[in-house]
Amino acid sequence: DTEVTQTPKHLVMGMTNKKSLKCEQHMGHRAMYWYKQKAKKPPELMFVYSYEKLSINESVPSRFSPECPNSSLLNLHLHALQPEDSALYLCASSQELAGVETQYFGPGTRLLVL
Amino acid sequence: DQQVKQNSPSLSVQEGRISILNCDYTNSMFDYFLWYKKYPAEGPTFLISISSIKDKNEDGRFTVFLNKSAKHLSLHIVPSQPGDSAVYFCAAIQGAQKLVFGQGTRLTINP
């Protein structure tokens, strides 16, 4: 079982709203990730949590705030976003498989900022 | 600076034939390479990986070849099936956790 779940599937928000994206995995994976994907582009890494601690922040603007409440959950809090932040937000978790830290992705949340 | 490149944005193959997707990279420090498949409105699905110390890895219809001297890898799918139509991303691991993706190749399998 390599299932990563994400809620909501779709989200529309105004530039003054505060919202949160949620991600969950019950595979015991030690690392969890947030990616952003714009249309016809590859996913771009935003944040990495290892053992519930933030290990990588790819210089993401502070209007995106990640949170890892426990080893199974990962949140992305959104505040004062811009229309250019509209994208597919992907969560992933990883386990070591044959020596490589293999990442498994959720279905994504499609975000539209108006 | 694009470290992982997929120079073909699209590829069309007849059902039953071989599909060959190509990927080039510039960073010789990459340890592992992975291929992901992505359908519209879904997250990428892991297909197969290869360590930089190997030159081939096979899993069912999927085989990945790595040529380190040329900094080139390829994914072979044989035989190709209609359900293989998707966007395929090549990715490399930088450090333990950072995945660097190529731009993707849209594969269309024609009946």
Side-chain angles (χ1 to χ4, degrees):
Chain A
D1 180 16
T2 54
E3 189 178 27
V4 177
T5 59
Q6 290 186 245
T7 55
K9 291 190 77 170
H10 302 274
L11 179 62
V12 180
M13 62 186 290
M15 289 188 283
T16 58
N17 291 157
K18 283 187 180 180
K19 296 284 184 184
S20 297
L21 309 184
K22 296 185 184 302
C23 174
E24 194 166 359
Q25 59 90 11
H26 293 288
M27 298 172 283
H29 290 178
R30 69 180 185 93
M32 296 185 75
Y33 309 74
W34 281 114
Y35 285 83
K36 174 181 177 179
Q37 186 177 21
K38 302 281 276 186
K40 299 188 179 180
K41 297 287 187 182
E44 293 181 0
L45 182 66
M46 300 175 72
F47 302 103
V48 181
Y49 273 82
S50 288
Y51 295 106
E52 303 169 46
K53 290 193 182 335
L54 183 65
S55 57
I56 298 177
N57 177 342
E58 289 287 295
S59 303
V60 179
S62 59
R63 57 186 185 270
F64 295 92
S65 175
E67 179 197 16
C68 189
N70 60 57
S71 59
S72 300
L73 291 174
L74 186 65
N75 298 322
L76 186 63
H77 302 298
L78 314 173
H79 174 53
L81 294 195
Q82 304 296 311
E84 58 265 29
D85 295 322
S86 299
L88 180 68
Y89 287 84
L90 294 162
C91 174
S93 67
S94 66
Q95 68 171 17
E96 189 175 317
L97 191 67
V100 59
E101 192 77 20
T102 302
Q103 293 184 29
Y104 297 91
F105 287 82
T109 293
R110 188 158 296 282
L111 174 67
L112 178 62
V113 182
L114 300 176
Chain B
D1 177 25
Q2 200 174 339
Q3 299 186 72
V4 179
K5 301 176 190 178
Q6 294 175 257
N7 292 319
S8 298
S10 63
L11 176 67
S12 187
V13 174
Q14 203 75 18
E15 182 179 357
R17 307 293 289 267
I18 185 170
S19 295
I20 300 176
L21 298 126
N22 293 304
C23 178
D24 297 297
Y25 62 95
T26 56
N27 187 342
S28 57
M29 301 301 290
F30 287 140
D31 294 314
Y32 292 95
F33 301 90
L34 301 89
W35 284 94
Y36 285 85
K37 168 182 177 181
K38 188 177 185 302
Y39 294 118
E42 292 185 12
T45 301
F46 169 70
L47 282 175
I48 191 168
S49 64
I50 187 166
S51 164
S52 60
I53 62 172
K54 297 193 172 184
D55 55 18
K56 178 182 175 182
N57 189 24
E58 192 172 353
D59 184 1
R61 295 187 300 116
F62 302 93
T63 303
V64 56
F65 296 92
L66 175 62
N67 182 334
K68 279 194 76 173
S69 60
K71 295 192 177 72
H72 176 84
L73 64 155
S74 60
L75 175 68
H76 293 212
I77 307 173
V78 57
S80 300
Q81 299 173 353
D84 295 330
S85 295
V87 177
Y88 287 78
F89 288 100
C90 168
I93 289 190
Q94 184 175 339
Q97 296 172 320
K98 185 173 177 180
L99 267 184
V100 180
F101 284 90
Q103 296 293 102
T105 297
R106 181 175 300 279
L107 175 65
T108 302
I109 306 300
N110 301 308

